[in-house]
Amino acid sequence: MGDEVQAPLPYIQETVLKKRKSSEEWAIRRRQQLEERKSIKANKQLTFKRAEQYIKEFRGKELDLVRMKYRARKFRAVPGKLKSQLLFVIRIQGKFEVHSVTKKILYSLGLGKLFTGVFLEANEGNLAKLQRVIEAYLSYRIRDLILKGD
C-alpha cells in the first residue's frame, strides 16, 4: 500500500478553467432568470381573469339572488311575543361569491368570516333579517338573558 505510485494530476490550462467557471456562473444566472419568469407568469395568470370566470361568478351571484328571493317569499311562522331578549347568531357556511345584498347584511351584523358569532337584540327587525335574507348562512338560537351578579 505504501508502494503505490501516485499518478500525476492532469494539466489543465488556466484559460480552460476560467471558461468553465464563467460558464457555470452563467448557467446559474440563467436558471434564476427562468425561475423568476415562471413566477411572474404564474402571477399574471392570477391577476387576469378569463371571460369564463366572470360568467361563472356572475351566474353564481345571480342564482344566489334568486334563492334569496325564493326564501323571502316562503311562508314562515313568525314568533309572536318573544320571551327572550337575546339572540346568539353564528355564521356556519358561505362562499366567496355571495350576492351583494347578503354580503352587506352579514357584514352589518359583524359576521364577515366563517364561524364568527355575535349576540343580537331579539327584535322584529333582526328576526326579519335572519329569516328572510341570510338564513342559509347562519344558525341562531333564542336564549334568555342570564345576568350573574355578586
Side-chain angles (χ1 to χ4, degrees):
M1 292 192 190
D3 298 344
E4 293 179 12
V5 179
Q6 292 182 355
L9 294 174
Y11 178 74
I12 301 173
Q13 292 183 356
E14 187 178 351
T15 55
V16 173
L17 293 174
K18 285 183 181 179
K19 178 68 176 172
R20 281 185 192 168
K21 184 178 179 181
S22 65
S23 64
E24 287 174 359
E25 290 173 357
W26 182 82
I28 291 170
R29 272 198 315 254
R30 183 73 176 148
R31 249 186 265 128
Q32 288 174 347
Q33 288 174 352
L34 288 174
E35 289 173 2
E36 288 175 7
R37 284 184 192 165
K38 285 181 183 178
S39 65
I40 290 172
K41 196 173 192 179
N43 289 339
K44 280 186 180 180
Q45 288 176 350
L46 295 176
T47 55
F48 295 111
K49 291 185 177 180
R50 294 183 174 216
E52 294 88 16
Q53 289 175 327
Y54 279 114
I55 292 169
K56 184 178 177 183
E57 287 178 12
F58 179 76
R59 286 185 180 159
K61 288 181 183 181
E62 197 173 74
L63 287 173
D64 192 34
L65 177 64
V66 169
R67 282 188 213 109
M68 186 175 65
K69 286 182 179 180
Y70 178 73
R71 282 194 305 267
R73 278 187 264 130
K74 263 168 86 174
F75 174 77
R76 285 191 177 76
V78 178
K81 184 80 172 168
L82 290 175
K83 296 184 287 182
S84 174
Q85 300 173 357
L86 190 66
L87 292 173
F88 180 69
V89 182
I90 186 167
R91 184 171 177 187
I92 55 172
Q93 79 176 39
K95 53 188 177 187
F96 189 70
E97 299 91 21
V98 178
H99 193 268
S100 59
V101 175
T102 307
K103 190 185 289 187
K104 185 176 178 183
I105 292 172
L106 285 170
Y107 278 98
S108 71
L109 294 174
L111 300 167
K113 295 181 180 178
L114 288 177
F115 306 115
T116 53
V118 292
F119 287 99
L120 295 175
E121 181 184 349
N123 58 25
E124 291 180 16
N126 285 339
L127 284 176
K129 278 184 192 178
L130 294 176
Q131 286 183 341
R132 287 187 174 187
V133 182
I134 55 175
E135 184 178 24
Y137 301 101
L138 302 175
S139 177
Y140 59 94
R141 183 158 183 106
I142 300 171
R143 300 291 298 193
D144 290 328
L145 181 60
I146 299 171
L147 296 175
K148 292 188 177 184
D150 294 313

